[in-house]
Every structure is written in structure tokens, then in C-alpha cells.
Amino acid sequence: MTTMSRKEKAPMSSRRIKAWSWVHKWSSLVCTVFMLLLCLTGLPLIFHHEIGHLLGTEVEAPDLPRDTPRASLDKVMEVAQALHPGKVPMFALHEIDDDRFWYVTLGDTPLSDVGNKTVAVDARTAAVLAQPRFDEGFMYVMLKLHVDLFAGLAGKLFLGFMGLLLLVAIVSGVVLYSPFMRKLDFGEVRQTRSRAKWLDLHNLLGIVTLVWAFTVGATGMVNTWADLIIKYWQYDQLSALLAPYQGQKPPAQLASVQQAAASATALAPEMKMAFIAFPGTSFSSPHHYTVFLRGKEPFNSRLLKPVLVDAGTNVLTASPPLPWYLTALLVSQPLHFGDYGGMPMQIIWALLDIATIIVLGSGLYLWLGRRNPAKAGKAASPGKADKPAPAGITPEPHAARRETTGGAA
Amino acid sequence: MSGKTHPVKDPAKSAAFWHLWRWPIVMGLLSATGLLTALVSDGGWGDWWSWVGLGVPVVVMAWFAWVPGKPQVCRKS
């Protein structure tokens, strides 16, 4: 019985290898250049806090006694807005691990993308600490190349699609691991020929980084959808809450943002402030301050609780629970950034990133070698330039056949 | 799963499977737990485990890439 079915499946397996090879080749070829770019630009981004610290662009709040009373948010906003008259408030936010100062973002309109200004204001003294420029410098260029290729939403979605191709390449690579590695021990890197060596390294580094690369690739892809996810959240969750405001104009005079923040934190005293989205911004409605609170424990510090407070009357409107798709987005962010396990994790993240660069580079090298067999042969072993495809670097269809049936049974 | 239709498992096949996949599975499990533990802890054992879980695969890659005894001289072009 078993023998029969194995025999029946045999030609199929060989065809299967061919099909998966085709999938692996084309999915990786299309995305490789962009993935190399993402890996290279991602490398400094892993250490953006440390680099900012070195460049002196990181905001440092002075050490004050822990019980120093906090300045009113109304005062903080007033101080920030005084520096940029004519601009409207968009956001006020704390860094996840530092609530000693506020980043206040101001723009020409609540939805403006360009010309936004950021002011760092001490949360205790309401003194201006810095006016960081997030739209210039080396790290800005790295970030833009990494996030959207300077092409806005279209660039993000394009890179997201490249990320999807990477996932396809990873999955197909895992499928092909078995026919290629059948005759080798784990980690064996043949030193005989240049091509064999690079193939073995490609397979070794690819299979060992598998889970990490898949995680970072998938979470990166999810991050490219952030804008769309937030838009959907507005439509999905806020439109119902806004029904009573139908036909009303947004408040001409904004009520106290300090009071809005206070009533939000009173609703969930076990949480702390993450950020406040001002009326009309993408994270709020035209009629509300939306105060986002975060948990104080490590496992829930990334999860946000939105509280909508009427921006005209300061009446608490609602606190809709975070829908699953925003939870997924928020959880996927640390898994992409590698910023949640201290400096050792950042270093390991960088090393895994470099390993991925080698996987991409060796894959490209192997493909180029295959395209120019004469050149590859020369590189591998001088004098055998006429040998098109060196033996031992092609999959073992027979072995693979056994493997695939074994896996399927 | 379908133990009845295949009462006798081919031991050679099973051995081949484990020969091929044992270490990739170990590496995958280490990475996965490393990625997750730091997410639910702050500075404690979870961080430590994440350094081990993600660090061991890095060491393994470096070991096999550089350290193996090189019986043949690598002819680099």
C-alpha cells in the first residue's frame, strides 16, 4: 500500500520541487533589491535612540524629584503653540518609557503631512526642552527609505507587497530546504566550490533565521497597513459615536485639554497616558479629544485604550474597546522594531539582520551564477569553465520525493 | 493521526526526517520563545531568555560559517 502510493506520488514530487523552485526564484528575485534596502536602512534604525543620543538630537528631560507636580497640559500646549503661531495642535505624546516631557506636534491643519512642527516641552515645568526636526538628517532619510521610499502611502503599500513576496520566498525556501539538504548534515558548509559553499551558507542562514525573518517580515508588512487600519478604525468605531454630532460644526473654542486628560485617566486609574489626539486628526474625530491610555505592565504597555472626550464641553463620550486589528498592529510593532529587550536584543537583532543580508546576497549570487554558467564555473574552479551546473548543488529529487511523501502521509 | 492505515512506520524515513529537521526545529523554537518572552516581561527572566533564544541561533550560524575544520582549501576566486 505504502509503496504503491509512494510510487504514484513520485513524479508529482519532482514536479513539485520544480514548482516550488520557480516560486522561490521569482518571489525572491522581485523583492531582493528592496529587501536589501530595507535590511540596510533598518540597521541604523534599530539603534535610533542611541544614535540620536550621540548626535545630540535625543530629548533629555532634567532629573527632578519624582513628586514634582506636573504642569497643566493647557500650559504645555500654550507654550508650544506660542513658538508656532497659526499652527493647530495635532498630538501630544509621551515616549513609552519617559513621561517627563511631552512631544507636541503642530500642523497647518489637523491632517497635514508636511511642515509639521514638534516641540518637546517639560511635563513638570512646561519649559521648552527642544524643537527636534524629524524631517531632516541621516536618520530621517533612513526612516523614509525604510518606511515609504519617500512615496507616501503608495510607497508603504508597495514595500508591504515586497514584504509579502519575502514571506512567500521564505515559505518556499523552507519547502526546498529538504531536497537540497538531504545528503548534508545540519550546518555543513562544503568548502569545495564557491557555489556549493554559498548555497550551503544560504541554506544554513536561511533556515536558522527562518522564524525571526518571518516574524520581522510579517510584522513589517502589517505596519505598512497602519494608515489604512487607523482609517478603518475611524469608520468602524467612531462613525457610530459621531451620529449625535451630525450636522454640528466642530467646537470653535476648544475646552481644557488638561480636564479632558484628567477625566480620561480617572476612567482607568490603573493606566497611564500614551498620547492625546486633538480634534480633527486621524486618531480622533472633529468633535473630540481622544486620549489614548496604555497599560503599566510590560505585557499591556503596548496596548492602548482610547477615551473620547467632547472637545467643546469636556463631557466624556465613550471609551470603545480596542478592536482586534488595532491590537494586532500594536503588538506587531515591537516585534518588528526589536526594541523590547534591551541593548543585547538590539545587537542580536542587528546580527540577524546582517545574516538576512547574507541570505539575500547569496541568493542573488547563486541566481547570477546560474544565469552565467561560464562565469560561475570559472569562479568556482578555474579550468572547468565549460561546466554549466556543478554537480552537488542541485536538489535530490529522489530523496525529496521520499521526504515529501513522508511529510504528506 | 492515520496510524491504522500505516501500522508500521518506516524507521529509515523517520530517521531521515529527524536528521534533516531536528536542528532547524530547535532553532525555530528557540527563536520563537525568544521573540515572545521579552514581550511579556520587563528586564527580568523574559529578557534573559530572549537573549539566549535569539542569541544561540546567531552563534550557531557564526560557528558553522567560520569555525568548521576546513579539510579542503577553499579556493576563492
Side-chain angles (χ1 to χ4, degrees), chain A residues 83-119:
Chain A
L83 291 173
H84 299 286
K87 301 235 181 219
V88 297
M90 296 173 72
F91 304 103
L93 66 95
H94 281 316
E95 295 259 18
I96 189 166
D97 52 357
D98 194 347
D99 64 357
R100 295 175 301 169
F101 67 91
W102 291 98
Y103 275 129
V104 177
T105 310
L106 306 163
D108 293 323
T109 73
L111 290 169
S112 73
D113 263 345
V114 286
N116 294 349
K117 300 287 180 193
T118 304
V119 184

Side-chain angles (χ1 to χ4, degrees), chain A residues 17 24-26 28 49-50 76 79 84 101 124 136 156 188 224 254 258 271-272 276-277 326 328 348 358 364 409:
Chain A
I17 293 174
H24 189 63
K25 179 172 83 179
W26 286 107
S28 18
H49 274 301
E50 289 72 18
V76 168
V79 165
H84 299 286
F101 67 91
R124 290 92 28 111
E136 61 177 26
K156 280 184 194 169
E188 194 175 334
T224 64
L254 292 182
Q258 174 61 41
M271 302 182 86
K272 60 182 185 179
I276 299 167
L326 271 186
I348 294 170
I358 300 174
L364 201 57

Side-chain angles (χ1 to χ4, degrees), chain B residues 4 21 24 30-31 40 67 69-71 74:
Chain B
K4 275 205 166 161
W21 288 107
L30 276 171
S31 312
V40 293
V67 182
K70 292 180 168 55
C74 173

Side-chain angles (χ1 to χ4, degrees), chain A residues 173-193:
Chain A
V174 172
V175 174
L176 291 172
Y177 182 77
S178 106
F180 274 91
M181 289 300 292
R182 193 69 184 180
K183 294 242 169 107
L184 299 173
D185 286 327
F186 173 78
E188 194 175 334
V189 179
R190 287 167 292 174
Q191 304 289 341
T192 45
R193 274 194 222 92

